[in-house]
Amino acid sequence: ICGYELGGLSLCLHTEDSTIKTEGAIFCVGPWTSKLFPFLESKLTTTHQHVFYWNLNKPQLGTIDTFPVWVEIGTTHLDNWYGLPSFGAQGIKAARHNLSTNDDPDELPVFTEELRKESQSRLQRRLHPKITSLSKWEPCKYTVTHNEDFIWTHHPEDSRIVIGTGFSGHGFKMAPLTGSALTTML
């Protein structure tokens, strides 16, 4: 969606190719929420994340049966880490949960060898199995509120528009509940 028009009998939602007329709409546009709905900008921060999948010297220690899901909340915003067992991709998933920047959602985070080395070193101090190599890197974008609570709200000028945002990288885990709740708001 590139834009919308309020008022009238129907909402008009504009895409690059067409205009859609509807009685109501739910927007969950992640890091682009502030661009589409500037009235929410002061409540949201978009941060780039670096998600790593690491190979272990003993891969059997990284399976869903043996590797725990873990979160470490540190003393600073740079010391928040999490990890998940190998599932659907080679290697355990482990990365920093960084909420310290306000990034442009249209730019991708940049992978560097320095970033890989720093992340591997920090993670290795936290993990018992030895990390042998990087299997895969993925960019990710978080849209967060100051307290990481979700925002479910109506557009202040037209209640036919419902907005869901601020899912902090973990909203997908609650997608069925979120979708159900947002639809009741229409």
Side-chain angles (χ1 to χ4, degrees):
I1 300 294
C2 300
Y4 56 90
E5 292 175 38
L6 302 175
L9 296 176
S10 298
L11 287 172
C12 292
L13 310 176
H14 302 287
T15 69
E16 290 181 7
D17 302 323
S18 64
T19 296
I20 301 165
K21 290 187 178 189
T22 183
E23 293 179 20
I26 299 171
F27 289 85
C28 294
V29 293
W32 295 275
T33 302
S34 293
K35 287 187 174 194
L36 197 56
F37 303 106
F39 66 90
L40 289 172
E41 186 172 11
S42 66
K43 296 180 180 188
L44 297 170
T45 300
T46 296
T47 65
H48 294 318
Q49 305 295 310
H50 299 278
V51 179
F52 298 98
Y53 294 83
W54 303 98
N55 293 316
L56 302 177
N57 65 334
K58 296 180 181 177
Q60 68 274 17
L61 295 179
T63 67
I64 200 162
D65 295 329
T66 58
F67 192 84
V69 173
W70 59 273
V71 174
E72 177 184 354
I73 306 298
T75 56
T76 74
H77 64 277
L78 296 176
D79 273 334
N80 300 324
W81 294 83
Y82 67 93
L84 301 161
S86 183
F87 184 79
Q90 182 179 336
I92 61 166
K93 179 179 178 179
R96 178 183 284 152
H97 177 71
N98 179 13
L99 306 179
S100 65
T101 58
N102 195 13
D103 300 312
D104 183 338
D106 293 320
E107 293 179 13
L108 286 176
V110 177
F111 175 83
T112 65
E113 186 59 19
E114 180 181 327
L115 174 68
R116 184 206 57 82
K117 285 179 182 178
E118 176 197 357
S119 296
Q120 184 173 345
S121 174
R122 287 181 179 250
L123 284 166
Q124 188 60 77
R125 290 191 298 257
R126 290 162 169 80
L127 298 177
H128 170 67
K130 180 164 175 40
I131 297 171
T132 58
S133 62
L134 178 64
S135 171
K136 181 171 96 170
W137 168 83
E138 293 177 340
C140 181
K141 298 174 189 201
Y142 283 3
T143 302
V144 297
T145 61
H146 71 283
N147 60 3
E148 295 190 70
D149 285 351
F150 301 166
I151 294 175
W152 297 348
T153 191
H154 289 98
H155 192 289
E157 296 175 33
D158 196 323
S159 63
R160 298 176 296 177
I161 293 178
V162 174
I163 304 161
T165 190
F167 298 122
S168 313
H170 53 264
F172 74 94
K173 298 175 193 107
M174 296 156 202
L177 173 66
T178 299
S180 178
L182 291 172
T183 59
T184 65
M185 294 174 66
L186 276 179

